[in-house]
Structure formats: C-alpha cells, structure tokens
Amino acid sequence: MTANGGSSEVAGQLEVWCAGEDWCPVTTTSSLIGKKWHPVILHRLLEHGPSGFNELKDDVDGISSKVLSDSLEDLGEKQLVDREVVSEKPFRVQYSLTLHGESLAPVIYAMRDWGVEHLSEPTDDGPSVA
C-alpha cells in the first residue's frame, strides 16, 4: 500500500501506513525498528551474521528468552529477519537478516555512531548524554 492508499506495484517494498505524506517514511521506519530491542537485534545480526537463538541471546545482553522470541517473531513478520530451521534433531533454528533487514545497516550504524559520539559510559546512575 502506498501513502495515498493505493497498492504498491514495486516488488519487494514494505507496506507503509501514515496520516500524512510528509512524515510517512520516518513513522513507518520507526514502527519497524522502534521497539526497545529491535535495533540491538538487527545490529548483532549485522555484526555477527546468521545466528542461532542462544547465540543471539548471549549477544544481546539483558534480554529475556521470551522477549527475544517475541522480538524475532515481530521482526520476521515485518520481513526484516528470516528464520530457518537448520536441524530437526536436535532442533536448531538460525536467524538472519532479509534484504530489507540488511538495507537498514546505515540506519543502525548511524544510531551506533551517534551513541559513541554523544553518550558517556554508564555509571551507577545510568547512561548519560555527553
């Protein structure tokens, strides 16, 4: 669907939603990656490549198994992460970025770079803007 309500004829584009064209791209992108753990998961998959569930859980410090599972499901529904069963016995799943997920690399790396430039190391009081 396009911003004006019509169908998109461009293959491979994600559905957009908005109330006004001026803010559609930012609003839609933020709806895709705006949840707390989504950018972190995407970053880890960009940095480490395809990963199993436990490997991702280790790479995303502080995330619970349920939240990781729900986040991966959500990212899959949004066509950003692909889930592939690589083994039935023992059951093993591998997660990787789709082409849409990979195309978010400049956004994710810009977030990382901004954090490096503007945030100081966390203290007992929590992170702070430098």
Side-chain angles (χ1 to χ4, degrees), residues 41-51 56 81 95-97:
I41 293 166
L42 294 172
H43 177 258
R44 298 315 186 265
L45 289 170
L46 282 165
E47 290 288 298
H48 303 289
S51 303
L56 264 176
V81 170
Y95 297 91
S96 59
L97 294 174

Side-chain angles (χ1 to χ4, degrees), residues 33-45:
I33 64 169
K35 291 189 178 177
K36 177 179 179 178
W37 294 105
H38 285 36
V40 179
I41 293 166
L42 294 172
H43 177 258
R44 298 315 186 265
L45 289 170

